[in-house]
């Protein structure tokens, strides 16, 4: 069934698990996300970035996901990831998205509040939920590249004011994660101390972006069949579990699905050099993504949360 974030996240925050938000841009990835969520009886959020929307076309991607979500045996939200403008949020709402993220984290505090409030006011009329962000993650999202030195941890006091003033339904915070496959040079670490402070001050669900695990078993599979993903490093499961135990209720994952997709196709083509049927090739990607998404759902503690 198709739902918004308020039907799934407050319960996750209360009970101490996180709902996975997984990025898609095509049929096979979407099918794999829903299949994994149904198998493990977990609510799920399907997210599309602006680039994914441009790639697939908003009419195609929204209709496809909504149709699949409505028939799913678990709650599924359709969410805009990192929306940079009011206009894009409005466009997604017009196309049936049940949730949008307005990411004005690159603006000043006051401009971030203003833009978020404008989106919240509009979204409310359609029962659409709004995620906002305060603080800045390093890494690449859409075409915006943020260097590690420009990343800013979320200030707990600012976060509380922001949540109160903007009226957002969920808040993404920066505690040391980053987008992409190269998150740490040395030992992975997150500022759980900052998260604890924020969680004390804010009751709405908190969101962790840039949370892919980039597990060595998937990386090795890419590299074994011709890939060159050297020195990739993600967030270890123990840090994800600690973040969830301390108030994170929504976790975004894209990179892990991309790695799974690539590993599946590389391996399949290497082992089946005479095959040229796209359905067979893409099924290998689908199957591996199901495994990846199931792994993430288990780490988030979201298995068996739907009766
Ligand atoms: O947060 C970033 C996501 O991984 C989206 O990436 O803009 O390349 O679709 P994309
Ligand atoms: P990863 O790059 O760690 O998968 O993060 C994805 C994300 O935050 C999407 O919004
Ligand atoms: Zn993100």
């Amino acid at each position: 069934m198709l739902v918004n974030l308020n039907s799934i996240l407050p319960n996750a925050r209360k009970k101490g698990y996180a709902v996975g938000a997984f990025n898609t841009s095509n049929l096979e990835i979407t099918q794999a996300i829903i299949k994994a969520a149904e198998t493990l009886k977990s609510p799920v959020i399907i997210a599309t970035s602006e680039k994914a929307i441009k790639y697939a076309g908003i009419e195609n991607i929204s209709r496809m996901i909504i149709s699949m979500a409505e028939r799913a045996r678990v709650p599924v939200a359709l969410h805009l990831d990192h929306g940079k403008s009011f206009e894009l949020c409005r466009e997604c709402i017009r196309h049936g998205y049940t949730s949008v993220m307005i990411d004005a984290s690159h603006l000043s505090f006051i401009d971030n509040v203003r833009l978020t409030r404008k989106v919240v006011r509009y979204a409310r009329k359609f029962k659409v939920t709004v995620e906002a962000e305060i603080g800045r993650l390093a890494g690449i999202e859409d075409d915006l590249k943020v260097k590690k030195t420009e990343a800013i941890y979320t200030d707990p006091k600012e976060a509380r004011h922001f949540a109160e003033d903007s009226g957002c339904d969920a808040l993404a915070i920066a505690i040391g994660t980053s987008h992409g496959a190269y998150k740490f040079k040395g030992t992975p670490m997150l500022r759980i101390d900052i998260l604890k402070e924020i969680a004390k001050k804010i009751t709405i669900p908190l969101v962790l972006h840039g949370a892919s695990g980039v597990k060595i078993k998937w990386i090795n599979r890419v590299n074994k069949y011709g890939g060159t993903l050297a020195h990739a490093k993600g967030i270890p499961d123990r840090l994800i579990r600690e973040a969830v135990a301390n108030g994170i209720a929504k976790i975004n994952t894209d990179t892990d699905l991309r790695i799974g997709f690539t590993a599946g196709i590389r391996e399949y083509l290497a082992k089946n050099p005479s095959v040229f049927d796209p359905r067979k090739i893409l099924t290998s990607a689908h199957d591996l993504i199901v495994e990846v998404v199931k792994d993430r759902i288990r780490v988030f503690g979201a298995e068996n949360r739907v009766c």
Side-chain angles (χ1 to χ4, degrees), residues 81-241:
D81 192 27
H82 293 288
K84 287 286 187 291
S85 67
F86 172 78
E87 289 71 24
L88 178 60
C89 292
R90 186 176 55 193
E91 188 67 1
C92 287
I93 292 169
R94 283 181 180 159
H95 280 86
Y97 280 61
T98 57
S99 185
V100 292
M101 175 186 191
I102 177 69
D103 179 0
S105 57
H106 53 292
L107 302 181
S108 68
F109 177 87
I110 192 71
D111 287 339
N112 190 356
V113 170
R114 251 186 225 135
L115 182 50
T116 303
R117 209 159 42 195
K118 183 175 175 186
V119 173
V120 168
R121 261 195 228 118
Y122 181 78
R124 288 266 179 277
K125 295 184 208 156
F126 303 92
K127 294 194 168 49
V128 167
T129 44
V130 178
E131 173 187 339
E133 178 168 328
I134 181 149
R136 276 193 102 176
L137 268 70
I140 304 167
E141 66 198 42
D142 280 318
D143 289 325
L144 196 70
K145 198 171 178 176
V146 182
K147 287 192 199 133
K148 291 257 190 255
T149 48
E150 290 166 359
I152 303 166
Y153 293 123
T154 302
D155 177 300
K157 265 196 222 135
E158 264 195 10
R160 185 182 64 206
H161 290 310
F162 184 86
E164 284 166 2
D165 295 356
S166 70
C168 62
D169 300 289
L171 185 62
I173 56 168
I175 55 166
T177 58
S178 58
H179 292 109
Y182 304 91
K183 299 185 191 298
F184 302 100
K185 285 217 171 86
T187 311
M189 84 101 181
L190 295 183
R191 293 292 304 270
I192 300 291
D193 56 322
I194 295 180
L195 169 59
K196 283 181 179 167
E197 279 306 303
I198 297 170
K200 263 192 241 161
K201 297 180 192 308
I202 297 179
T203 54
I204 59 169
L206 301 173
V207 183
L208 193 64
H209 282 247
S212 276
V214 193
K215 292 190 175 175
I216 194 72
K217 62 177 174 179
W218 309 119
I219 294 293
N220 284 348
R221 247 163 119 164
V222 172
N223 291 343
K224 186 173 173 190
Y225 296 99
T228 53
L229 295 181
H231 312 301
K233 203 182 272 182
I235 317 287
D237 289 353
R238 67 178 165 80
L239 286 180
I240 294 288
R241 290 197 183 97

Side-chain angles (χ1 to χ4, degrees), residues 39-107:
T39 307
L40 295 188
K41 299 191 171 61
S42 168
V44 77
I45 299 158
I46 300 198
T48 67
S49 67
E50 184 166 1
K51 262 161 64 182
I53 290 171
K54 276 200 189 121
Y55 169 77
I58 192 158
E59 196 75 25
N60 299 329
I61 196 105
S62 59
R63 283 184 183 228
M64 177 188 77
I65 299 172
I66 289 166
S67 154
M68 288 160 72
E70 281 171 347
R71 288 173 290 122
R73 294 192 301 273
V74 292
V76 180
L78 170 56
H79 179 74
L80 167 66
D81 192 27
H82 293 288
K84 287 286 187 291
S85 67
F86 172 78
E87 289 71 24
L88 178 60
C89 292
R90 186 176 55 193
E91 188 67 1
C92 287
I93 292 169
R94 283 181 180 159
H95 280 86
Y97 280 61
T98 57
S99 185
V100 292
M101 175 186 191
I102 177 69
D103 179 0
S105 57
H106 53 292
L107 302 181

